[in-house]
Amino acid sequence: MKTIIKIFTLLLIITQFSTLANNSKQQQAVQEVIQKYINGTSNADPTLITSAFHPKASLILSHPNKPFWQVTAKEFASWFKTKKVTRTGAILSITVDNDIATARAKITTASPVKQYIDQFLLKRFSDGWKIVSKTANQLDITQSEQVLAAMDKRVLFIVSSADFHGDSALATGTSFSELVEAYDVFINAGYQVDVVSSKGGTLPLAYINTSDKTHRQYIYNQDFMYKLAYTLAPEQVDPEKYLAVHYVGGGNAMYQVAENKNIQAISMHVYEQNKGIISAVCHGTAGIVNLKLASGEYLVAGRKITGYPTAFEKTDAAYYQQFPFAIDNLIKQRGGIFNYGQRNQSFIEVDGRIITGTNYQSSREVAQAMVKQLNNM
């Protein structure tokens, strides 16, 4: 009897993993269809737009004199034969339910500046996923100049996928506070934010406080939590899109990031090729210790850097015994100048296009310093 139960349990687990893998595959397939729509409308490519829709798809759009304005996908695509306005888009969320799916995207146009939320209904056919219906609503924009300045400017958050400290059973995760405080600054400044983790997929989280106003705002924000549930894998990232990378802390930032060659390549492309910003907060500074310039010199050499110092750690605690290195010591070994402020108080260092913060309390100030530079790029 026990053997039968064990076999049944094993089959159930295999089925669950198979379902998760399939859902992930379908999620990506839907994402590719929505991206066709975004790319087609941004680059004035009617053929690409049409390929995203089912031939019988209908679009319900807004018209000042038509309460119910319905057009075909072919008619809609014909409006994009020439590029009349600058247009960008970003996927906000996707939900897959077997062979149907819904998706949301934010679209920004210039001349004049407008923003829309596009909502899609998709269905899976024998030849793949297709959009069967689309509608949209226009957002109110109070600072159009700010939106225009940030249009198509992206920031990439870099986080760790590690669930545990080293090889131990001690749970860890990415600091939710550091995520939301920085994200809030960038989004309110009009920037788009993507999240890449060392392994991609669902992100382990730590230090969530639903009594905190900002935490509560984002823990129930569908678009934000979607980004954390479906983080990009390093090989999915096109570094050409970003003007800044931001290494987020939490205990797991000590693992899987600093040694990841793909993440290193992304960051240095942004810094050297795109002339962008590299930033880090708290334990996130561990992620930049191995970054090297094209010259072979360490990025931190001769630079003022801050992060979570050994002086603030519980060096006799079990978690600390798992750390592969001490952030401040390694920064100094690499030729950096490591400084830090008072415990539980914000402290940042701005050294050119390298911006770092001591602790989670520094997250918002680091992001604000980044936005100040990004607005001039």
Side-chain angles (χ1 to χ4, degrees):
M1 187 66 172
K2 288 183 179 180
T3 302
I4 293 174
I5 292 172
K6 286 181 179 179
I7 292 173
F8 177 77
T9 303
L10 180 59
L11 287 173
L12 181 61
I13 292 171
I14 291 171
T15 301
Q16 289 174 334
F17 272 102
S18 177
T19 301
L20 286 171
N22 184 59
N23 284 347
S24 180
K25 183 179 179 181
Q26 298 307 323
Q27 191 94 13
Q28 187 169 349
V30 171
Q31 182 176 320
E32 289 172 359
V33 173
I34 302 302
Q35 198 61 53
K36 281 184 182 179
Y37 165 83
I38 292 173
N39 293 344
T41 54
S42 297
N43 301 319
D45 186 341
T47 302
L48 190 58
I49 297 170
T50 303
S51 70
F53 287 89
H54 187 275
K56 295 184 179 181
S58 64
L59 290 79
I60 313 299
L61 306 177
S62 298
H63 192 287
N65 302 318
K66 298 178 182 180
F68 190 87
W69 185 30
Q70 184 173 0
V71 301
T72 65
K74 186 176 181 180
E75 181 182 357
F76 176 77
S78 70
W79 301 342
F80 294 88
K81 289 181 179 178
T82 57
K83 191 171 184 179
K84 299 176 183 178
V85 298
T86 301
R87 181 183 174 104
T88 64
I91 297 172
L92 297 177
S93 63
I94 294 171
T95 302
V96 178
D97 293 298
N98 198 6
D99 64 345
I100 61 171
T102 57
R104 299 171 66 250
K106 180 183 282 188
I107 306 298
T108 304
T109 65
S111 302
V113 179
K114 296 180 180 180
Q115 283 192 323
Y116 303 88
I117 296 296
D118 282 9
Q119 301 204 33
F120 307 86
L121 176 64
L122 301 94
K123 186 171 177 60
R124 188 174 70 230
F125 297 93
S126 58
D127 59 344
W129 287 93
K130 297 289 182 181
I131 300 170
V132 295
S133 184
K134 183 193 93 76
T135 189
N137 69 295
Q138 186 172 342
L139 300 176
D140 293 328
I141 301 176
T142 56
Q143 295 175 299
S144 59
E145 296 84 1
Q146 179 176 290
V147 172
L148 182 60
M151 190 173 180
D152 209 27
K153 288 187 176 181
R154 292 175 180 259
V155 176
L156 182 67
F157 281 17
I158 297 175
V159 294
S160 171
S161 301
D163 294 287
F164 300 97
H165 283 281
D167 297 324
S168 76
L170 298 170
T172 187
T174 302
S175 169
F176 193 70
S177 182
E178 293 176 37
L179 284 166
V180 299
E181 293 294 342
Y183 184 83
D184 191 61
V185 171
F186 290 121
I187 292 299
N188 287 327
Y191 287 82
Q192 295 183 36
V193 177
D194 295 325
V195 183
V196 61
S197 62
S198 49
K199 294 184 179 179
T202 305
L203 186 66
L205 299 172
Y207 312 116
I208 299 174
N209 177 10
T210 53
S211 295
D212 181 278
K213 181 181 178 181
T214 308
H215 285 218
R216 187 167 59 249
Q217 174 187 348
Y218 285 105
I219 196 72
Y220 300 115
N221 182 303
Q222 178 186 359
D223 299 338
F224 177 70
M225 295 308 292
Y226 174 84
K227 290 179 182 293
L228 306 188
Y230 297 96
T231 65
L232 299 169
E235 57 270 18
Q236 293 178 295
V237 173
D238 177 4
E240 196 62 37
K241 293 181 178 180
Y242 301 97
L243 279 179
V245 295
H246 180 58
Y247 287 78
V248 182
N252 68 347
M254 296 298 300
Y255 317 99
Q256 299 183 8
V257 178
E259 66 272 25
N260 190 301
K261 299 295 183 183
N262 288 336
I263 291 177
Q264 290 174 19
I266 291 167
S267 295
M268 295 318 298
H269 184 104
V270 170
Y271 186 76
E272 295 193 301
Q273 304 301 316
N274 303 354
K275 304 303 178 185
I277 295 170
I278 288 180
S279 65
V281 165
C282 200
H283 288 92
T285 301
I288 72 172
V289 297
N290 293 329
L291 297 181
K292 287 185 177 181
L293 303 169
S295 64
E297 184 179 26
Y298 283 107
L299 173 74
V300 300
R303 300 286 195 163
K304 292 180 179 179
I305 304 293
T306 188
Y308 206 70
T310 304
F312 292 176
E313 299 281 9
K314 297 177 181 178
T315 55
D316 58 344
Y319 80 87
Y320 189 78
Q321 308 310 312
Q322 296 292 324
F323 278 8
F325 54 82
I327 297 172
D328 45 7
N329 290 343
L330 195 51
I331 291 292
K332 293 173 183 176
Q333 289 176 28
R334 304 295 198 225
I337 304 162
F338 191 91
N339 300 312
Y340 61 94
Q342 298 296 313
R343 189 186 293 271
N344 298 323
Q345 292 184 23
S346 176
F347 179 87
I348 76 169
E349 287 283 12
V350 179
D351 195 329
R353 290 182 287 114
I354 303 174
I355 303 175
T356 50
T358 293
N359 45 24
Y360 78 87
Q361 291 92 345
S362 310
S363 298
R364 186 169 288 270
E365 190 177 349
V366 166
Q368 290 168 342
M370 293 172 68
V371 167
K372 185 177 180 180
Q373 285 196 24
L374 287 168
N375 284 345
N376 295 320
M377 289 182 176

